[in-house]
CSV table of all heavy atoms in Angstrom, one decimal:
chain,number,residue,atom,x,y,z
A,21,GLN,N,-66.4,-37.8,-23.9
A,21,GLN,CA,-65.1,-37.8,-23.2
A,21,GLN,C,-64.1,-38.8,-23.8
A,21,GLN,O,-63.1,-39.1,-23.1
A,21,GLN,CB,-65.2,-37.9,-21.7
A,21,GLN,CG,-66.0,-36.7,-21.1
A,21,GLN,CD,-65.4,-36.3,-19.8
A,21,GLN,OE1,-64.9,-37.1,-19.1
A,21,GLN,NE2,-65.4,-35.0,-19.6
A,25,TYR,N,-56.9,-38.4,-29.3
A,25,TYR,CA,-55.6,-38.7,-30.0
A,25,TYR,C,-55.1,-40.1,-29.7
A,25,TYR,O,-54.3,-40.6,-30.4
A,25,TYR,CB,-54.6,-37.7,-29.7
A,25,TYR,CG,-55.1,-36.2,-29.9
A,25,TYR,CD1,-55.6,-35.4,-28.9
A,25,TYR,CD2,-55.2,-35.8,-31.3
A,25,TYR,CE1,-56.1,-34.1,-29.2
A,25,TYR,CE2,-55.7,-34.6,-31.5
A,25,TYR,CZ,-56.1,-33.7,-30.5
A,25,TYR,OH,-56.6,-32.5,-30.8
A,26,GLY,N,-55.5,-40.6,-28.5
A,26,GLY,CA,-55.1,-42.0,-28.2
A,26,GLY,C,-53.5,-42.0,-27.9
A,26,GLY,O,-52.9,-43.1,-28.0
A,29,ARG,N,-49.9,-43.7,-22.4
A,29,ARG,CA,-50.3,-45.0,-22.0
A,29,ARG,C,-51.0,-45.0,-20.5
A,29,ARG,O,-50.8,-44.0,-19.8
A,29,ARG,CB,-49.2,-46.0,-21.9
A,29,ARG,CG,-48.1,-45.7,-20.8
A,29,ARG,CD,-47.1,-46.9,-20.7
A,29,ARG,NE,-46.0,-46.5,-19.7
A,29,ARG,CZ,-46.2,-46.7,-18.4
A,29,ARG,NH1,-47.2,-47.2,-17.9
A,29,ARG,NH2,-45.2,-46.3,-17.6
A,39,TRP,N,-46.3,-42.7,-7.3
A,39,TRP,CA,-46.0,-41.3,-7.7
A,39,TRP,C,-46.9,-40.3,-6.9
A,39,TRP,O,-46.5,-39.1,-6.7
A,39,TRP,CB,-46.5,-41.1,-9.2
A,39,TRP,CG,-45.5,-41.6,-10.2
A,39,TRP,CD1,-44.8,-42.8,-10.1
A,39,TRP,CD2,-45.1,-40.8,-11.3
A,39,TRP,NE1,-43.9,-42.8,-11.2
A,39,TRP,CE2,-44.1,-41.7,-12.0
A,39,TRP,CE3,-45.5,-39.6,-11.9
A,39,TRP,CZ2,-43.6,-41.3,-13.2
A,39,TRP,CZ3,-44.9,-39.3,-13.1
A,39,TRP,CH2,-43.9,-40.1,-13.7
A,40,ASP,N,-48.0,-40.8,-6.4
A,40,ASP,CA,-49.0,-39.8,-5.8
A,40,ASP,C,-48.6,-39.5,-4.4
A,40,ASP,O,-49.0,-40.3,-3.5
A,40,ASP,CB,-50.4,-40.4,-5.9
A,40,ASP,CG,-51.5,-39.4,-5.4
A,40,ASP,OD1,-51.1,-38.2,-5.1
A,40,ASP,OD2,-52.6,-39.9,-5.2
A,42,SER,N,-49.5,-36.5,-3.1
A,42,SER,CA,-50.4,-35.4,-2.7
A,42,SER,C,-51.3,-35.9,-1.6
A,42,SER,O,-51.9,-36.9,-1.7
A,42,SER,CB,-51.3,-34.9,-3.8
A,42,SER,OG,-50.5,-34.4,-4.9
A,49,GLU,N,-55.3,-39.3,1.6
A,49,GLU,CA,-54.2,-40.2,0.9
A,49,GLU,C,-53.1,-40.5,2.0
A,49,GLU,O,-52.1,-41.0,1.6
A,49,GLU,CB,-53.7,-39.4,-0.2
A,49,GLU,CG,-54.6,-39.0,-1.4
A,49,GLU,CD,-55.1,-37.7,-1.3
A,49,GLU,OE1,-55.2,-37.1,-0.2
A,49,GLU,OE2,-55.4,-37.1,-2.3
A,103,GLU,N,-42.9,-13.8,2.1
A,103,GLU,CA,-43.7,-13.0,3.0
A,103,GLU,C,-44.8,-13.9,3.5
A,103,GLU,O,-45.3,-14.8,2.9
A,103,GLU,CB,-44.4,-11.8,2.2
A,103,GLU,CG,-43.5,-10.7,1.8
A,103,GLU,CD,-43.0,-10.9,0.4
A,103,GLU,OE1,-43.2,-12.0,-0.2
A,103,GLU,OE2,-42.3,-9.9,-0.1
A,117,ARG,N,-49.2,-21.7,12.5
A,117,ARG,CA,-49.8,-21.0,11.3
A,117,ARG,C,-50.7,-21.8,10.5
A,117,ARG,O,-51.7,-21.4,9.9
A,117,ARG,CB,-48.7,-20.3,10.5
A,117,ARG,CG,-49.2,-19.5,9.3
A,117,ARG,CD,-48.1,-18.8,8.5
A,117,ARG,NE,-48.6,-17.9,7.6
A,117,ARG,CZ,-48.8,-18.3,6.2
A,117,ARG,NH1,-48.5,-19.6,5.9
A,117,ARG,NH2,-49.2,-17.5,5.4
A,130,ARG,N,-42.3,-34.1,1.7
A,130,ARG,CA,-41.8,-33.7,0.4
A,130,ARG,C,-40.3,-33.1,0.6
A,130,ARG,O,-39.4,-33.4,-0.3
A,130,ARG,CB,-42.6,-32.6,-0.2
A,130,ARG,CG,-43.7,-32.9,-0.9
A,130,ARG,CD,-44.5,-31.6,-1.2
A,130,ARG,NE,-45.8,-32.0,-1.5
A,130,ARG,CZ,-46.2,-32.4,-2.8
A,130,ARG,NH1,-45.3,-32.4,-3.8
A,130,ARG,NH2,-47.4,-32.8,-3.0
A,131,GLY,N,-40.2,-32.2,1.5
A,131,GLY,CA,-39.1,-31.2,1.4
A,131,GLY,C,-38.0,-31.3,2.4
A,131,GLY,O,-37.1,-30.6,2.4
A,137,GLU,N,-34.3,-35.2,0.6
A,137,GLU,CA,-35.8,-35.1,0.5
A,137,GLU,C,-36.5,-36.4,0.1
A,137,GLU,O,-36.0,-37.1,-0.8
A,137,GLU,CB,-36.2,-34.0,-0.5
A,137,GLU,CG,-35.7,-32.6,0.0
A,137,GLU,CD,-34.3,-32.3,-0.4
A,137,GLU,OE1,-33.6,-33.2,-1.0
A,137,GLU,OE2,-33.9,-31.1,-0.2
A,182,ALA,N,-58.5,-16.6,4.7
A,182,ALA,CA,-59.7,-16.4,3.7
A,182,ALA,C,-59.5,-17.4,2.6
A,182,ALA,O,-58.4,-17.9,2.2
A,182,ALA,CB,-59.5,-15.0,3.1
A,187,TRP,N,-61.9,-18.2,-9.5
A,187,TRP,CA,-61.2,-17.6,-10.7
A,187,TRP,C,-62.1,-17.7,-11.9
A,187,TRP,O,-62.7,-18.8,-12.2
A,187,TRP,CB,-59.9,-18.3,-11.0
A,187,TRP,CG,-59.2,-17.6,-12.1
A,187,TRP,CD1,-58.4,-16.5,-12.1
A,187,TRP,CD2,-59.3,-18.0,-13.6
A,187,TRP,NE1,-58.0,-16.2,-13.4
A,187,TRP,CE2,-58.6,-17.1,-14.2
A,187,TRP,CE3,-60.0,-19.0,-14.2
A,187,TRP,CZ2,-58.5,-17.2,-15.7
A,187,TRP,CZ3,-59.9,-19.0,-15.5
A,187,TRP,CH2,-59.1,-18.2,-16.2
A,189,HIS,N,-62.2,-16.4,-16.2
A,189,HIS,CA,-61.5,-15.8,-17.2
A,189,HIS,C,-62.2,-14.4,-17.5
A,189,HIS,O,-63.4,-14.3,-17.5
A,189,HIS,CB,-61.8,-16.7,-18.5
A,189,HIS,CG,-61.1,-16.0,-19.8
A,189,HIS,ND1,-59.9,-16.4,-20.3
A,189,HIS,CD2,-61.5,-15.0,-20.5
A,189,HIS,CE1,-59.6,-15.7,-21.3
A,189,HIS,NE2,-60.6,-14.8,-21.5
A,197,TYR,N,-60.8,-2.5,-6.9
A,197,TYR,CA,-59.4,-2.2,-6.5
A,197,TYR,C,-58.8,-1.2,-7.5
A,197,TYR,O,-59.1,-1.5,-8.7
A,197,TYR,CB,-58.6,-3.5,-6.5
A,197,TYR,CG,-57.1,-3.2,-5.9
A,197,TYR,CD1,-56.9,-2.9,-4.6
A,197,TYR,CD2,-56.0,-3.4,-6.8
A,197,TYR,CE1,-55.6,-2.6,-4.1
A,197,TYR,CE2,-54.7,-3.1,-6.3
A,197,TYR,CZ,-54.6,-2.7,-5.0
A,197,TYR,OH,-53.2,-2.5,-4.5
B,102,ARG,N,-38.1,-22.1,-1.8
B,102,ARG,CA,-37.4,-21.9,-0.5
B,102,ARG,C,-35.9,-21.9,-0.7
B,102,ARG,O,-35.0,-22.0,0.2
B,102,ARG,CB,-37.8,-23.2,0.4
B,102,ARG,CG,-37.1,-24.4,-0.1
B,102,ARG,CD,-36.8,-25.4,1.1
B,102,ARG,NE,-35.9,-26.4,0.5
B,102,ARG,CZ,-36.1,-27.7,0.8
B,102,ARG,NH1,-37.0,-28.1,1.6
B,102,ARG,NH2,-35.2,-28.6,0.3
B,105,PHE,N,-32.0,-26.5,-5.8
B,105,PHE,CA,-31.0,-26.8,-6.8
B,105,PHE,C,-31.7,-27.0,-8.2
B,105,PHE,O,-32.9,-27.3,-8.2
B,105,PHE,CB,-30.3,-28.2,-6.4
B,105,PHE,CG,-29.5,-28.1,-5.1
B,105,PHE,CD1,-30.1,-28.8,-4.0
B,105,PHE,CD2,-28.4,-27.4,-4.9
B,105,PHE,CE1,-29.5,-28.8,-2.8
B,105,PHE,CE2,-27.8,-27.4,-3.7
B,105,PHE,CZ,-28.3,-28.1,-2.6
B,124,ARG,N,-59.5,-41.9,-17.4
B,124,ARG,CA,-58.4,-42.6,-17.9
B,124,ARG,C,-57.1,-42.0,-17.5
B,124,ARG,O,-56.6,-41.1,-18.2
B,124,ARG,CB,-58.4,-42.7,-19.4
B,124,ARG,CG,-59.6,-43.4,-20.1
B,124,ARG,CD,-59.7,-43.2,-21.5
B,124,ARG,NE,-59.8,-41.8,-21.9
B,124,ARG,CZ,-61.0,-41.2,-21.9
B,124,ARG,NH1,-62.1,-41.8,-21.7
B,124,ARG,NH2,-61.1,-39.8,-22.2
B,127,ILE,N,-50.0,-41.6,-18.7
B,127,ILE,CA,-48.6,-41.3,-18.6
B,127,ILE,C,-48.1,-40.9,-20.0
B,127,ILE,O,-48.3,-41.7,-20.9
B,127,ILE,CB,-47.8,-42.4,-18.0
B,127,ILE,CG1,-48.1,-42.5,-16.5
B,127,ILE,CG2,-46.3,-42.2,-18.2
B,127,ILE,CD1,-47.1,-43.5,-15.7
B,182,GLU,N,-58.2,-35.6,-22.9
B,182,GLU,CA,-57.7,-37.0,-23.2
B,182,GLU,C,-57.9,-37.9,-22.0
B,182,GLU,O,-58.3,-39.1,-22.2
B,182,GLU,CB,-56.2,-36.9,-23.6
B,182,GLU,CG,-55.7,-37.9,-24.6
B,182,GLU,CD,-56.4,-37.8,-26.0
B,182,GLU,OE1,-57.1,-36.9,-26.3
B,182,GLU,OE2,-56.0,-38.7,-26.8
B,195,GLU,N,-47.3,-30.8,-10.0
B,195,GLU,CA,-46.2,-31.1,-9.2
B,195,GLU,C,-45.0,-31.2,-10.1
B,195,GLU,O,-45.0,-31.8,-11.2
B,195,GLU,CB,-46.4,-32.3,-8.4
B,195,GLU,CG,-45.4,-32.8,-7.6
B,195,GLU,CD,-45.7,-34.2,-6.9
B,195,GLU,OE1,-46.3,-34.2,-5.8
B,195,GLU,OE2,-45.4,-35.2,-7.4
B,201,LYS,N,-40.2,-31.7,-5.0
B,201,LYS,CA,-41.5,-32.1,-5.6
B,201,LYS,C,-42.5,-30.9,-5.4
B,201,LYS,O,-43.6,-31.1,-4.9
B,201,LYS,CB,-42.1,-33.4,-5.1
B,201,LYS,CG,-41.1,-34.6,-5.1
B,201,LYS,CD,-41.2,-35.3,-6.4
B,201,LYS,CE,-40.2,-36.4,-6.5
B,201,LYS,NZ,-38.8,-36.1,-6.5
B,213,ASP,N,-58.7,-23.5,-19.3
B,213,ASP,CA,-58.8,-22.3,-20.1
B,213,ASP,C,-57.6,-22.1,-21.0
B,213,ASP,O,-57.7,-22.1,-22.2
B,213,ASP,CB,-59.0,-21.1,-19.1
B,213,ASP,CG,-59.4,-19.8,-19.9
B,213,ASP,OD1,-60.3,-19.9,-20.7
B,213,ASP,OD2,-58.7,-18.8,-19.7
B,251,ARG,N,-44.1,-33.1,-13.5
B,251,ARG,CA,-44.1,-34.6,-13.6
B,251,ARG,C,-45.5,-35.2,-13.3
B,251,ARG,O,-45.8,-36.4,-13.7
B,251,ARG,CB,-43.1,-35.1,-12.7
B,251,ARG,CG,-43.5,-35.1,-11.2
B,251,ARG,CD,-42.9,-36.2,-10.4
B,251,ARG,NE,-43.6,-36.4,-9.2
B,251,ARG,CZ,-43.4,-37.5,-8.4
B,251,ARG,NH1,-42.6,-38.5,-8.8
B,251,ARG,NH2,-44.0,-37.7,-7.3
B,252,ARG,N,-46.4,-34.4,-12.6
B,252,ARG,CA,-47.6,-35.0,-12.3
B,252,ARG,C,-48.8,-33.9,-12.2
B,252,ARG,O,-48.5,-32.9,-11.7
B,252,ARG,CB,-47.4,-35.6,-10.9
B,252,ARG,CG,-48.6,-36.5,-10.5
B,252,ARG,CD,-48.2,-37.4,-9.2
B,252,ARG,NE,-48.0,-36.5,-8.1
B,252,ARG,CZ,-49.0,-36.3,-7.2
B,252,ARG,NH1,-50.1,-36.8,-7.3
B,252,ARG,NH2,-48.7,-35.5,-6.2
B,254,LYS,N,-52.7,-34.0,-10.8
B,254,LYS,CA,-53.8,-34.7,-10.1
B,254,LYS,C,-55.0,-33.9,-10.1
B,254,LYS,O,-55.0,-32.7,-9.7
B,254,LYS,CB,-53.3,-35.0,-8.6
B,254,LYS,CG,-54.3,-35.9,-7.9
B,254,LYS,CD,-53.8,-36.3,-6.5
B,254,LYS,CE,-54.7,-37.2,-5.8
B,254,LYS,NZ,-54.1,-37.7,-4.5
B,260,TYR,N,-55.8,-28.0,-2.2
B,260,TYR,CA,-55.1,-29.0,-1.5
B,260,TYR,C,-54.1,-28.4,-0.5
B,260,TYR,O,-53.5,-29.2,0.3
B,260,TYR,CB,-54.3,-30.0,-2.5
B,260,TYR,CG,-55.0,-31.3,-2.6
B,260,TYR,CD1,-56.4,-31.4,-2.7
B,260,TYR,CD2,-54.3,-32.5,-2.6
B,260,TYR,CE1,-56.9,-32.7,-2.8
B,260,TYR,CE2,-54.9,-33.7,-2.7
B,260,TYR,CZ,-56.2,-33.8,-2.8
B,260,TYR,OH,-56.9,-35.0,-2.8
B,266,TYR,N,-49.0,-23.1,0.7
B,266,TYR,CA,-49.0,-22.8,2.2
B,266,TYR,C,-48.5,-21.4,2.4
B,266,TYR,O,-49.0,-20.6,3.3
B,266,TYR,CB,-48.2,-23.8,3.0
B,266,TYR,CG,-48.0,-23.4,4.3
B,266,TYR,CD1,-49.0,-23.4,5.3
B,266,TYR,CD2,-46.6,-23.0,4.8
B,266,TYR,CE1,-48.8,-23.0,6.6
B,266,TYR,CE2,-46.5,-22.6,6.1
B,266,TYR,CZ,-47.5,-22.6,7.0
B,266,TYR,OH,-47.3,-22.2,8.2
B,270,ASN,N,-53.6,-16.1,3.0
B,270,ASN,CA,-53.7,-14.9,3.7
B,270,ASN,C,-55.0,-14.8,4.5
B,270,ASN,O,-56.0,-15.3,4.0
B,270,ASN,CB,-53.6,-13.7,2.6
B,270,ASN,CG,-53.2,-12.4,3.3
B,270,ASN,OD1,-54.0,-11.7,3.9
B,270,ASN,ND2,-52.0,-12.1,3.2
B,281,GLN,N,-53.7,-14.0,-9.7
B,281,GLN,CA,-53.7,-13.3,-11.0
B,281,GLN,C,-53.0,-11.9,-10.8
B,281,GLN,O,-53.4,-11.1,-9.9
B,281,GLN,CB,-55.1,-13.0,-11.5
B,281,GLN,CG,-55.2,-12.5,-12.8
B,281,GLN,CD,-56.6,-12.4,-13.4
B,281,GLN,OE1,-57.3,-13.5,-13.5
B,281,GLN,NE2,-57.1,-11.3,-13.6
B,377,SER,N,-53.6,2.5,-3.4
B,377,SER,CA,-53.7,1.2,-2.8
B,377,SER,C,-53.7,1.4,-1.3
B,377,SER,O,-54.5,0.7,-0.6
B,377,SER,CB,-52.4,0.4,-3.1
B,377,SER,OG,-52.3,-0.8,-2.4
B,390,ARG,N,-46.5,-1.2,2.7
B,390,ARG,CA,-46.3,-2.3,1.8
B,390,ARG,C,-47.5,-2.7,1.1
B,390,ARG,O,-48.6,-3.0,1.8
B,390,ARG,CB,-45.8,-3.5,2.8
B,390,ARG,CG,-45.3,-4.7,2.1
B,390,ARG,CD,-44.9,-5.7,3.1
B,390,ARG,NE,-44.6,-7.0,2.4
B,390,ARG,CZ,-45.4,-7.8,1.9
B,390,ARG,NH1,-46.8,-7.5,2.0
B,390,ARG,NH2,-45.1,-8.8,1.2
Side-chain angles (χ1 to χ4, degrees):
Chain A
Q21 295 221 325
Y25 306 103
R29 70 169 173 86
W39 281 44
D40 184 9
S42 293
E49 298 98 335
E103 290 95 349
R117 180 178 184 269
R130 273 172 201 278
E137 296 85 354
W187 181 87
H189 179 107
Y197 184 66
Chain B
R102 70 152 195 222
F105 302 107
R124 295 170 299 276
I127 284 189
E182 207 65 3
E195 181 181 271
K201 309 271 181 292
D213 190 50
R251 72 151 198 165
R252 191 168 69 90
K254 183 174 183 175
Y260 255 44
Y266 171 71
N270 200 282
Q281 189 174 298
S377 176
R390 192 180 170 285

